[in-house]
Amino acid sequence: MHKSPGLDRFLTFVDAIIAMDPVESYDRVVGVVTAAWTLTIVFMPFPTALVGIYGVEERPVIAVYLLTLFVSSALLTVLALYLARKPELHQADVESSKRMAVPSVVTTVLTGLATALGVLVPQVNYGALLLLLLTGVFTNLANRRLHLPQQEA
């Protein structure tokens, strides 16, 4: 386990945003994945500016924007799944950490589908992101399928 006050504060901040369950410690994987996720957040203004400049009809702009969202979501999912397998790094119990990973996986799958649909069907473009409205429905279905307790609203 590595200890760095600056990185520790940053990871605590990111964890508060992501999972609301503090990470007590971290390792190299958590640091690298968190740094990669941070880069997607830092990069996001670029595709957003492209949308403002070129509008909503340019396929390459749609692709860059949606792929950035997908990569960001995928990195959070990698982090959630990794932390679910490493209970010594956080305060949540094993059951809670598994349950927290499910919405992340569902969101990433739906973001991937939205990206494919938005890029392959230009008329749909960013409207494909409306698939994310189904996150709760699919999360509940996945929790039932995995025999995990339902999260309280």
Side-chain angles (χ1 to χ4, degrees):
M1 307 288 171
H2 306 287
K3 285 291 177 193
S4 163
L7 183 58
D8 191 44
R9 280 192 301 268
F10 173 73
L11 290 174
T12 302
F13 168 74
V14 169
D15 181 63
I17 293 170
I18 298 169
M20 301 298 184
D21 280 324
V23 171
E24 291 181 334
S25 186
Y26 58 91
D27 59 13
R28 186 176 189 88
V29 173
V30 172
V32 168
V33 173
T34 303
W37 171 75
T38 304
L39 289 176
T40 67
I41 301 306
V42 170
F43 180 74
M44 196 65 208
F46 174 68
T48 304
L50 290 177
V51 172
I53 293 168
Y54 296 105
V56 297
E57 301 299 323
E58 295 293 325
R59 190 179 265 179
V61 174
I62 295 167
V64 170
Y65 187 87
L66 293 176
L67 281 169
T68 303
L69 288 177
F70 174 72
V71 170
S72 180
S73 180
L75 288 167
L76 287 178
T77 298
V78 167
L79 187 59
L81 292 172
Y82 183 75
L83 289 173
R85 294 178 182 266
K86 294 284 194 169
E88 67 271 13
L89 295 178
H90 56 84
Q91 292 177 354
D93 58 44
V94 175
E95 191 75 17
S96 294
S97 62
K98 286 180 185 176
R99 193 175 62 242
M100 288 186 312
V102 172
S104 185
V105 171
V106 170
T107 301
T108 298
V109 169
L110 289 174
T111 304
L113 290 172
T115 300
L117 183 62
V119 171
L120 297 175
V121 183
Q123 297 82 356
V124 174
N125 59 49
Y126 304 103
L129 291 172
L130 291 172
L131 285 171
L132 293 172
L133 293 173
L134 300 172
T135 301
V137 173
F138 286 117
T139 296
N140 287 336
L141 289 172
N143 281 338
R144 275 191 224 129
R145 180 87 171 140
L146 297 170
H147 306 291
L148 294 172
Q150 299 297 310
Q151 287 182 322
E152 297 176 16

